Amino acid sequence: MGRGIVLALLVAVTVSGCGDAPSAGRKPGAPAASPTAALPADGPVRARATVLDDGEGPMLCLGGVMQSLPPQCSGPEVQGWSWDDHADHEAASGVRWGDYTMVGTWDGTSFGPTDVRPTTPDDWPEEDIGALFATRCAEPAGGWVPVDPATTTRDALASAHRVAENLPDYAISWADQSINPRWGDSQELDGSEGSLEVELAMNDPVHTILNVAVTADIVGAEAAVREVWGGALCVTEFAHTQQLLRRVAKELRELPGILSSGYGNIGNAVEISVVHDDGSIQAWADEEYGPGVVVVTSALEPVE
């Protein structure tokens, strides 16, 4: 069994929906079923990861790497690996490592590479963060301008976030600064002189759209936030409360083989990363909590 990975038997059981009541025989606060998050793969899989050898044999760093010197990680064993075949690797204090994009086999406990090359930036999909956090409302007739300059301040913005977080159907809140005249400059920050000036300019509440998402009472949420915030405001409806996502994320911590989890994000779902999912874990999560509540990503991806 690979280091840092806990495996469990995949037990066929009846799982509940997304209600709060536990299934028969279910320990309160735990998932109704715990399929292993490191399911064997029927065909070849792709891995983009660090291979690291601390003297106990090469392993695949799937759950993150501690950026020390040398780096540290844990993960499943890599079978048939020879550092002589990868002269581009780094070494320090008896540890060898390198970042590779690989195709290989996965038997549930170890990875067997059949094709290996150094990872390049092009191997990682690009994500448009600006589009992801874009305001979901149509621009008002008068434009995105403050309705009350006296309460369009940094303190007022912080208070508005707190008010939103205390709403019973709160999902998420975030600030969209794409209306700021310095937005284009902020996309090119590289640590050079002048970056601090741009960063400060980008935190101007006058050029900020506060986005608040709730699951039911949009009108009530807008009225509550408007008591403290006079700047641009967009209130929209999301599917899941942050309270629900927090509860589900807590339960999923017990899923064997899970690499990471997060909630309260713009995707309005609990996002978990697992070693390998052939679709069974996502199907289980959809049945247990309801479609769209949990999004499962697999570190080892099928090769199509």
Side-chain angles (χ1 to χ4, degrees):
M1 181 179 300
R3 287 167 286 170
I5 289 188
V6 181
L7 301 178
L9 294 177
L10 179 58
V11 182
V13 297
T14 301
V15 296
S16 70
C18 57
D20 291 333
S23 305
R26 174 183 176 185
K27 183 175 69 174
S34 291
T36 172
L39 299 171
D42 293 334
V45 293
R46 177 177 290 104
R48 291 181 292 262
T50 297
V51 176
L52 184 144
D53 187 347
D54 59 6
E56 297 184 16
M59 54 186 166
L60 200 60
C61 305
L62 296 178
V65 181
M66 185 181 297
Q67 297 301 313
S68 53
L69 186 64
Q72 303 174 58
C73 78
S74 61
E77 298 174 1
V78 180
Q79 300 292 337
W81 186 271
S82 172
W83 289 107
D84 292 338
D85 297 332
H86 308 286
D88 56 334
H89 72 271
E90 300 182 69
S93 302
V95 177
R96 293 185 283 190
W97 72 94
D99 296 329
Y100 303 99
T101 295
M102 298 161 282
V103 172
T105 60
W106 171 250
D107 63 8
T109 60
S110 63
F111 179 73
T114 56
D115 182 69
V116 181
R117 62 177 176 79
T119 295
T120 69
D122 292 338
D123 290 316
W124 297 99
E126 292 187 7
E127 188 172 35
D128 189 343
I129 300 299
L132 190 64
F133 286 89
T135 293
R136 310 298 174 90
C137 301
E139 183 175 348
W144 292 112
V145 295
V147 298
D148 180 13
T151 53
T152 307
T153 65
R154 288 182 173 84
D155 288 343
L157 182 59
S159 296
H161 279 292
R162 289 193 292 269
V163 169
E165 290 167 359
N166 286 323
L167 295 171
D169 57 343
Y170 172 74
I172 191 175
S173 60
W174 75 93
D176 174 9
Q177 300 189 64
S178 61
I179 61 172
N180 194 305
R182 302 300 296 272
W183 174 254
D185 297 337
S186 72
Q187 306 307 293
E188 300 177 2
L189 289 180
D190 58 1
S192 60
E193 186 176 353
S195 295
L196 179 58
E197 175 193 347
V198 173
E199 184 176 344
L200 291 174
M202 283 305 300
N203 290 320
D204 186 351
V206 173
H207 299 301
T208 297
I209 306 171
L210 172 61
N211 283 260
V212 175
V214 294
T215 62
D217 190 2
I218 292 179
V219 174
E222 183 170 358
V225 174
R226 274 297 182 214
E227 292 184 6
V228 298
W229 172 245
L233 175 65
C234 169
V235 182
T236 52
E237 184 175 348
F238 273 26
H240 312 121
T241 65
Q242 190 166 115
Q243 182 179 17
L244 168 66
L245 300 182
R246 183 184 302 114
R247 175 180 65 80
V248 172
K250 183 177 180 180
E251 293 182 2
L252 287 175
R253 292 174 189 168
E254 298 190 21
L255 182 67
I258 190 170
L259 298 174
S260 65
S261 65
Y263 70 94
N265 47 57
I266 197 69
N268 196 223
V270 176
E271 297 180 354
I272 66 171
S273 174
V274 300
V275 176
H276 177 250
D277 180 21
D278 62 1
S280 302
I281 300 172
Q282 183 67 71
W284 165 78
D286 289 345
E287 186 174 359
E288 171 67 6
Y289 298 109
V293 177
V294 179
V295 175
V296 180
T297 58
S298 182
L300 300 178
E301 305 168 340
V303 176
E304 299 178 356

